[in-house]
Amino acid sequence: MGEFQVTDSQATDTHVHAPLSNDAEPKGDLCIRTLAMPADTNANGDIFGGWLLSQMDVGGGVFASKVAKSRTVTVAIDAMNFRKPVYVGDLVSVHANLVRLGRTSITVHLEAWVLRRRAQQSILVTDGNFTYVSIDDHGQPQPIQRDGGTIAT
């Protein structure tokens, strides 16, 4: 693999791999809100990407369980875009939108937004698609109940 170099224009807080969103405010259901703390930092002093991903997964799981009306488990994470860093003291909010509702699975688009100290406007920092599967009490996939019945295959 080739060496990756960050140019001056990339170092000014823009994302390298995905286009920046033009959205000025979060869309979807608020699933979780938490404060980024010093214990959540990486070796560079920024918030660890894995911590943010786990917050998004928790929020997505809350949303998926609400939709499925059952326990759900994460089976896939894709299209993750780490757009901007998260700093200690940022208020992190995760918002969810339903992408696809299958027979046993739910795909959710999650957005993580931060409100920085002394800021008035939230900033989109990370987004991605998470897929969850509805499971029964034995951990086996089960059809999702919708509007009084199961989803047709």
Side-chain angles (χ1 to χ4, degrees):
M1 292 215 295
E3 183 179 7
F4 178 76
Q5 295 180 334
V6 177
T7 65
D8 287 340
S9 65
Q10 292 168 334
T12 59
D13 216 14
T14 61
H15 189 270
V16 178
H17 297 103
L20 290 173
S21 172
N22 292 330
D23 296 333
E25 60 185 48
K27 291 185 304 228
D29 292 358
L30 174 64
C31 300
I32 193 170
R33 181 170 282 156
T34 190
L35 191 63
M37 300 295 285
D40 307 319
T41 58
N42 60 24
N44 298 318
D46 298 326
I47 296 302
F48 179 55
W51 176 85
L52 183 57
L53 186 123
S54 71
Q55 298 304 308
M56 294 174 73
D57 192 24
V58 168
V62 167
F63 180 83
S65 290
K66 180 178 161 184
V67 171
K69 299 175 186 66
S70 69
R71 290 176 54 199
T72 59
V73 294
T74 309
V75 295
I77 300 173
D78 60 41
M80 287 297 296
N81 299 303
F82 290 90
R83 299 174 182 277
K84 297 189 184 235
V86 177
Y87 303 115
V88 171
D90 285 351
L91 182 61
V92 178
S93 300
V94 176
H95 297 260
N97 284 295
L98 183 64
V99 173
R100 189 184 77 76
L101 189 58
R103 192 177 78 79
T104 62
S105 67
I106 301 168
T107 300
V108 179
H109 182 75
L110 296 169
E111 297 180 348
W113 289 72
V114 299
L115 184 60
R116 303 216 196 273
R117 290 183 227 173
R118 296 183 290 278
Q120 300 294 317
Q121 184 83 22
S122 292
I123 301 165
L124 176 64
V125 292
T126 306
D127 64 308
N129 293 331
F130 290 59
T131 301
Y132 301 87
V133 168
S134 174
I135 59 170
D136 63 20
D137 292 336
H138 304 289
Q140 298 301 308
Q142 69 178 0
I144 295 170
Q145 300 292 316
R146 185 168 75 180
D147 298 328
T150 58
I151 296 172
T153 54

